[in-house]
Amino acid sequence: MPIQRRRVSELVLEEIKKLIKKGEFKPNTKLPSENELAKMFQVSRVPIREAISVLAAGGIVEPRQGGGNWIREVDFANMMEKVTIEMVDIKQLLDLLEFRIIVEAEAAALAAERYKQEDIEQLEAALDVFRKSTIDDENTIGDQADYTFHQIIVKASYNPFLMQTIDNISDLYQKYLKFSLKKNIGFKMKREQVYGEHKSIFEAIKERDANTAHMKMKEHLQNTKQKLEKLKIEE
C-alpha cells in the first residue's frame, strides 16, 4: 500500500520496522535497496534514505561496505543501549520477567528480614514518588520511579550478588519498564492496580513479613508477565 503523507520518512520507518518484526524482512539478510523500497512504498528515495539512517542509528540495520544495509538480529540478552526495545521479540521480554520473578521475589523476602530504618524510609519515599507519577499525573510513564522502588528493595536484601545481578542488567531493565508502563497511559484502573501492588509489597516488607513480601512481589511480576503474554497473542 502506498504511504499517505504525515511525515513521510516517519511512516516509512514505521512500516519497515513492522516488516522486520513480522519476519518479512528477516534478520541477517540484506534490506531491499533504496530504489526497491521507494517503489514498494511509492515515495521518493529521500524519505527512504532518512528512515534507513534512523534504523542504522538505532542498531536495527547495519550498513556494510559494498553490500548495502543488513538487518541485525536483535538479542535482548545481549542488547546494546542504542537498540530500540520495540524491535525485541516479546518472548525475550517474558524471559526477563521470569528472571525477575525468581530474583526479586526472594529479594523482597530478604529485604523484609534485613532492612534498616534508612531503607524503609527510602522505600516509602520511592513509593510516594511512584504514586505521584502514576496516580496524580496520568500522563507520566513512571518508569524511573518504578525502577527506583525495585532497586531499593534489592539493595535492602543486603546480598551483594543480587545487587550486582540487577545492576548488570539495569539498562535492559529500565528499557523494559518504560516499554511496559507506557502501555498503561490513559488506563486509570491499570495504573491504580500497579500502584496498589507496589503498596502491598511495601507494607509486607515494613511489617517484616517475609512470606507475604515474597508472595506480593511474585504476584506483581506475574501480573506484568500476563499482560505481556496478551500482547504476544495480539501480535
Side-chain angles (χ1 to χ4, degrees):
M1 293 289 293
I3 298 287
Q4 301 301 315
R5 192 162 187 87
R6 183 172 85 198
R7 173 132 202 264
V8 180
S9 61
E10 291 176 7
L11 292 168
V12 168
L13 177 64
E14 288 175 10
E15 290 301 314
I16 294 175
K17 283 182 176 181
K18 286 178 186 176
L19 291 170
I20 293 172
K21 196 165 185 183
K22 287 178 180 176
E24 294 185 37
F25 292 165
K26 296 184 182 300
N28 300 316
T29 64
K30 189 177 176 182
L31 192 70
S33 68
E34 290 182 7
N35 284 334
E36 290 170 328
L37 290 170
K39 288 178 183 177
M40 182 183 300
F41 299 126
Q42 297 183 23
V43 297
S44 72
R45 290 175 59 188
V46 174
I48 298 294
R49 196 173 298 124
E50 290 174 355
I52 290 174
S53 295
V54 174
L55 291 170
I60 296 165
V61 302
E62 178 181 37
R64 296 183 185 176
Q65 189 172 6
N69 295 286
W70 286 69
I71 302 160
R72 293 181 58 201
E73 185 167 6
V74 178
D75 181 358
F76 187 47
N78 298 305
M79 195 164 105
M80 299 296 287
E81 174 64 20
K82 64 181 181 179
V83 178
T84 53
I85 200 166
E86 72 258 25
M87 299 307 298
V88 175
D89 191 313
I90 284 179
K91 170 63 172 66
Q92 295 185 63
L93 298 180
L94 290 171
D95 291 340
L96 175 62
L97 257 297
E98 286 183 356
F99 168 82
R100 287 187 62 198
I101 289 168
I102 294 166
V103 172
E104 292 190 52
E106 188 60 31
L110 292 173
E113 295 172 347
R114 300 174 178 176
Y115 77 80
K116 299 175 183 177
Q117 185 60 31
E118 63 191 51
D119 299 316
I120 206 67
E121 289 173 0
Q122 289 173 5
L123 192 60
E124 187 169 22
L127 180 66
D128 189 53
V129 172
F130 187 65
R131 177 186 58 78
K132 290 175 182 176
S133 61
T134 55
I135 306 300
D136 297 353
D137 186 350
E138 294 183 7
N139 296 313
T140 301
I141 298 174
D143 53 302
Q144 187 56 54
D146 194 327
Y147 177 73
T148 301
F149 180 84
H150 285 269
Q151 188 182 41
I152 291 169
I153 291 172
V154 174
K155 181 176 76 72
S157 73
Y158 288 94
N159 183 304
F161 290 98
L162 288 177
M163 294 162 64
Q164 187 61 54
T165 298
I166 294 299
D167 187 59
N168 287 345
I169 62 163
S170 62
D171 288 341
L172 306 184
Y173 193 138
Q174 291 179 76
K175 277 177 176 287
Y176 158 73
L177 284 176
K178 189 170 186 177
F179 170 82
S180 178
L181 293 174
K182 194 173 183 180
K183 297 186 179 297
N184 288 343
I185 290 180
F187 297 95
K188 186 177 180 180
M189 287 183 63
K190 288 184 178 180
R191 291 165 74 90
E192 288 175 347
Q193 179 189 346
V194 173
Y195 169 73
E197 290 170 1
H198 282 73
K199 187 177 179 183
S200 295
I201 294 165
F202 166 77
E203 289 171 347
I205 292 173
K206 186 177 181 179
E207 292 300 315
R208 296 198 180 276
D209 187 339
N211 289 335
T212 301
H214 187 285
M215 180 183 68
K216 292 297 183 182
M217 180 65 80
K218 187 174 181 179
E219 286 178 356
H220 166 56
L221 295 175
Q222 284 179 331
N223 287 340
T224 305
K225 188 169 180 280
Q226 287 173 6
K227 183 174 73 173
L228 272 179
E229 285 168 343
K230 287 180 182 177
L231 289 177
K232 184 173 176 63
I233 291 169
E234 291 168 5
E235 280 191 330

